[in-house]
Amino acid sequence: MSPDLPSSSLPAAPDANRVDGANGATGANGGGAGSNLLPGALTGLAALLFAFLPLFLNAFAGSSAPYWLDVVNTVGLYTILALSLNVILGHAGMFHMGHAAFFAIGAYATAILNLSYGWSIIATMPVAALAAGAVALVLAWPIIHLRGDYLLIVTIGIVEIVRIALTNNIFGLTGGSNGLVGIARPSVFGFRITRPQHFFYFIWIVVGLTMLLFHWLENSRFGRALKFIKEDTVAAENMGVNTSRYKLMAFVVGAAWAGLAGTIFASRMRTISPESFVFSESVLLFTIVILGGKGSQKGVLLGSFLVMGLPEFFRGFEDKRLLVFGAALVVMMIFRPQGLLPSKPARYRLPDPWPGKLSGAPAAEPVTANGKRAQNGAAATGAAGALSEPSGPQGSDPQSPGPQGPGA
Amino acid sequence: MQILSLSSLTKTFGGLVAVAGVSCGVDRGAVVGLIGPNGAGKTTVFNLITGSIKPDDGHIFFSGHSIRGLRPHRIVKLGIARTFQTIRLFQGLSALENVLSGCHCRMRSGLVASLLRLPGQRREERLVIDRAMGELEFVGLANLWRATAGSLAYGDQRRLEIARALATEPKLLILDEPAGGMNEQETYELRQLIEAIRKRDITVLLIEHDMGFVMSVCDRVLVMENGILIAQGTPQEIQTNPKVIEAYLGLDDD
């Protein structure tokens, strides 16, 4: 496999695929796509440079290169986890602080299937995801209607229950507090992933895929439904969104993806034990999403680097670095509660001065909607100008063909 | 033919009887007003119809089906859409996205199609955005599609709420004080809009305190007081009904 090729499109991929369109300052005309190419190209360049990171590290970091690569891999793994939590916390707005539980279920599913049944690591991946998703479904079913702080407390309970169950060697499968040892390495198309630079490409390709898929998910009927729920659950329900079902689905999708990250974790560490999945891991993930910006992929990426990567630079201060970290969080929440890189509004590719659907649609019977706002004076230039009678700015008589009834 | 019928609908909150055995019907294609002094139980009736709260007793039939006890999203899918007394838009989202929320229940793309952006999903997205823009155009807000709902002028927000409700492709549209807080010009435009909605073969049931508005726009008027339906009839009948006059006279009510 040629790792740097696919990875070059990693974090860039979501941007390249963004539903682009005029998004500049309000009032700007539907600009050319050119104005949106620059950020996309920059992200692509950054991703390309990032793909060469192992080489840079080898060249400049010398003997500590594998260590720093491991740090970057940890950041990648937590990015996957935080992106999955982002679906639940960022998009659906559910306060879930038990994400480590589903991470653990995925990791243990992989470990058990690999050690006891000899499955290959990659084959365990979908099972790990399904197992985490299934447990999430069962656990979240009765609690999904809980709001805010109440849900938070219950999810803390979940992560504790899972950890204690693992420690007590549940079903005799989890190896108790010693955990499970000797998990195999993954191999992709016959290529065995063993060294940090292998894992670098493996993990960051998964990060890129996750970003792409979740970006698509965000900008779809499903993602919008979550957004409506987050904004106003009552209004969403009254507009026809099955709010409890969508909340549950968001929870299950997020959990399943955490399970998938568990597979990577298990095969990277080769040894897993309950202490890898304690409550503070959940808090860390929660922090990444909140710090970076709820609902924002770039924010989550940045948050992962800050929370998981930055402290490594201050190893020398050992315990004091957590103090600084805590203080930084407090300051952040006071001055930038929306996160470092808050999510941006979705973009839709539409002409900004809307020309009207005068052509196309089978001529609907003209309906008088007198509330019709002044058709922007410039609309005369619109393509539909031929059909529209440009109405005066304050016109109270514009005839606007409404859409047909239901089904137009 | 009646599209909606209520029979001995009752709802109590603790000791307070908000709706006491209301029975009435709404004819298909009509514009019906529900009036009454504050606290008469009008909004409670709306909440019962749309499933936001569950009745203690009585029945609700919509197009021949009993919809009592169904959750709101199911009722929306059957064809009843509403607006709220206090505007309840998704304030942080664009006007277009607000209308897209109404389209949700008529869409089919599921989780997998969304996650993988399958061709059918993309086609549906295009169609539905087109339809949402059509509804925005219908209420005269097409040029503001990108504006955040919360940034719109008050009258525009009211209209956006109507567009959002229309996007659910309702057979019955329920408007809770649509003219509340509107100036004369906006009220006039709203009247035109309701006429246009009626032409789309959508039945309208509305609560309104502006009597001039109700009398000019409605075919029939229902009058509630203290949870009881005290009168119903054409606007002319209602204006001369002694019970209604009594309910309203001397009341310090807007």
Side-chain angles (χ1 to χ4, degrees):
Chain A
M1 102 181 191
S2 133
D4 40 357
L5 245 178
S7 70
S8 67
S9 63
L10 284 192
D15 278 274
N17 282 283
R18 186 152 258 169
V19 243
D20 71 291
N23 186 41
T26 37
N29 274 349
S35 55
N36 286 313
L37 277 177
L38 189 64
L42 282 179
T43 321
L45 191 68
L48 191 68
L49 284 177
F50 188 70
F52 287 106
L53 187 71
L55 299 178
F56 286 128
L57 281 176
N58 270 335
F60 299 110
S63 60
S64 60
Y67 168 74
W68 285 109
L69 210 50
D70 258 336
V71 170
V72 174
N73 290 348
T74 304
V75 169
L77 191 71
Y78 275 80
T79 305
I80 300 169
L81 283 168
L83 285 169
S84 69
L85 177 61
N86 190 36
V87 175
I88 302 168
L89 173 62
H91 295 150
M94 291 187 281
F95 284 0
H96 166 43
M97 216 185 243
H99 215 46
F102 305 116
F103 181 38
I105 290 164
Y108 272 88
T110 289
I112 293 165
L113 286 174
N114 176 253
L115 293 172
S116 306
Y117 302 95
W119 286 39
S120 78
I121 296 298
I122 297 297
T124 68
M125 214 173 213
V127 181
L130 282 177
V135 173
L137 185 68
V138 172
L139 291 180
W141 194 286
I143 61 162
I144 205 71
H145 62 280
L146 295 177
R147 272 157 223 233
D149 34 8
Y150 299 100
L151 182 69
L152 189 90
I153 289 165
V154 176
T155 56
I156 292 173
I158 288 176
V159 77
E160 277 305 284
I161 289 169
V162 169
R163 187 184 63 82
I164 290 166
L166 295 175
T167 310
N168 288 330
N169 197 8
I170 189 168
F171 310 130
L173 286 171
T174 65
S177 50
N178 294 327
L180 297 170
V181 185
I183 302 153
R185 297 294 196 185
S187 65
V188 183
F189 303 120
F191 183 90
R192 245 179 115 239
I193 296 167
T194 50
R195 304 168 56 141
Q197 58 262 48
H198 301 158
F199 271 103
F200 174 81
Y201 291 112
F202 181 50
I203 288 175
W204 284 95
I205 285 171
V206 177
V207 171
L209 278 175
T210 306
M211 288 179 92
L212 179 67
L213 295 184
F214 284 180
H215 174 74
W216 282 349
L217 189 66
E218 183 187 344
N219 292 287
S220 70
R221 173 177 185 243
F222 186 94
R224 272 197 308 270
L226 299 187
K227 224 186 281 188
F228 302 140
I229 289 168
K230 181 169 120 181
E231 280 266 328
D232 185 338
T233 310
V234 173
E237 177 75 31
N238 274 283
M239 286 303 123
V241 178
N242 188 347
T243 49
S244 46
R245 180 157 173 268
Y246 272 89
K247 282 201 227 174
L248 196 58
M249 277 164 79
F251 207 85
V252 169
V253 169
W257 219 270
L260 187 144
T263 298
I264 301 176
F265 179 80
S267 67
R268 176 169 169 240
M269 292 306 174
R270 308 202 60 193
T271 300
I272 54 170
S273 65
E275 70 195 45
S276 303
F277 310 101
V278 291
F279 171 58
S280 65
E281 292 295 303
S282 299
V283 178
L284 226 44
L285 291 170
F286 197 87
T287 310
I288 290 173
V289 176
I290 302 287
L291 178 83
K294 276 187 288 182
S296 149
Q297 292 197 332
K298 281 182 187 155
V300 168
L301 189 62
L302 178 67
S304 298
F305 270 101
L306 291 181
V307 173
M308 302 310 300
L310 205 56
E312 297 297 329
F313 287 97
F314 302 112
R315 276 270 171 214
F317 301 98
E318 203 42 53
D319 45 358
K320 287 189 194 71
R321 74 200 165 110
L322 289 176
L323 186 74
V324 175
F325 180 65
L329 277 185
V330 172
V331 172
M332 256 284 307
M333 284 300 109
I334 292 170
F335 292 104
R336 207 171 161 83
Q338 73 273 39
L340 291 173
L341 295 175
S343 64
K344 287 189 195 145
R347 296 193 247 176
Y348 293 88
R349 196 181 319 195
L350 287 176
D352 189 16
W354 177 250
K357 306 198 322 171
L358 298 168
S359 50
E365 63 159 359
V367 177
T368 335
N370 247 352
K372 187 107 175 98
R373 271 296 115 100
Q375 274 270 26
N376 199 341
T381 59
L387 275 161
S388 76
E389 309 148 20
S391 45
Q394 251 73 42
S396 55
D397 64 336
Q399 306 273 312
S400 79
Q404 320 218 66
Chain B
M1 188 204 146
Q2 288 190 339
I3 190 165
L4 178 76
S5 76
L6 313 177
S7 75
S8 24
L9 200 60
T10 302
K11 178 72 191 177
T12 56
F13 295 111
L16 176 80
V17 183
V19 178
V22 167
S23 300
C24 62
V26 173
D27 287 331
R28 194 183 161 156
V31 176
V32 177
L34 176 57
I35 63 170
N38 284 335
K42 307 181 296 291
T43 296
T44 306
V45 168
F46 275 20
N47 286 336
L48 288 168
I49 296 170
T50 56
S52 298
I53 53 176
K54 308 233 175 295
D56 298 326
D57 202 7
H59 293 282
I60 309 167
F61 290 97
F62 175 67
S63 298
H65 304 95
S66 171
I67 56 167
R68 183 189 158 166
L70 293 184
R71 288 177 54 204
H73 71 266
R74 298 261 297 122
I75 293 174
V76 174
K77 184 136 195 211
L78 287 172
I80 301 180
R82 75 172 296 178
T83 65
F84 294 88
Q85 187 174 352
T86 49
I87 294 174
R88 226 168 163 161
L89 290 164
F90 303 109
Q91 297 285 335
L93 305 182
S94 68
L96 173 62
E97 280 181 300
N98 269 277
V99 180
L100 285 173
S101 73
C103 299
H104 176 91
C105 66
R106 303 291 168 214
M107 294 173 73
R108 296 171 53 187
S109 296
L111 174 65
V112 176
S114 300
L115 201 57
L116 301 176
R117 197 167 269 194
L118 298 179
Q121 188 264 345
R122 290 160 66 181
R123 203 174 318 122
E124 186 181 62
E125 278 291 296
R126 276 197 301 276
L127 282 175
V128 89
I129 287 172
D130 208 44
R131 208 164 67 69
M133 286 308 294
E135 293 297 354
L136 278 175
E137 205 170 328
F138 183 76
V139 301
L141 293 172
N143 276 334
L144 295 170
W145 66 266
R146 201 206 273 160
T148 315
S151 73
L152 294 177
Y154 184 80
D156 288 346
Q157 292 199 20
R158 283 254 176 237
R159 277 214 296 263
L160 180 56
E161 236 195 346
I162 292 175
R164 182 175 71 167
L166 286 172
T168 66
E169 298 178 11
K171 299 189 194 88
L172 172 66
L173 179 64
I174 294 184
L175 306 172
D176 199 345
E177 294 195 31
M182 281 190 170
N183 63 32
E184 238 170 82
Q185 174 66 22
E186 288 170 329
T187 308
Y188 172 76
E189 289 174 357
L190 178 67
R191 213 156 69 204
Q192 305 290 321
L193 184 59
I194 290 175
E195 279 306 315
I197 291 169
R198 182 219 291 269
K199 286 200 179 111
R200 284 171 58 173
D201 196 26
I202 296 170
T203 309
V204 178
L205 175 60
L206 57 90
I207 292 177
E208 191 45 68
H209 283 298
D210 180 337
M211 284 308 140
F213 180 84
V214 171
M215 296 307 165
S216 66
V217 85
C218 296
D219 308 311
R220 283 185 74 77
V221 178
L222 311 168
V223 189
M224 279 184 77
E225 192 195 11
N226 294 326
I228 299 164
L229 194 69
I230 57 167
Q232 52 180 313
T234 64
Q236 291 74 23
E237 289 164 4
I238 292 302
Q239 276 165 308
T240 52
N241 185 313
K243 273 200 210 163
V244 179
I245 294 169
E246 196 190 319
Y248 272 91
L249 264 188
L251 274 178
D252 183 22
D253 179 43
D254 52 27

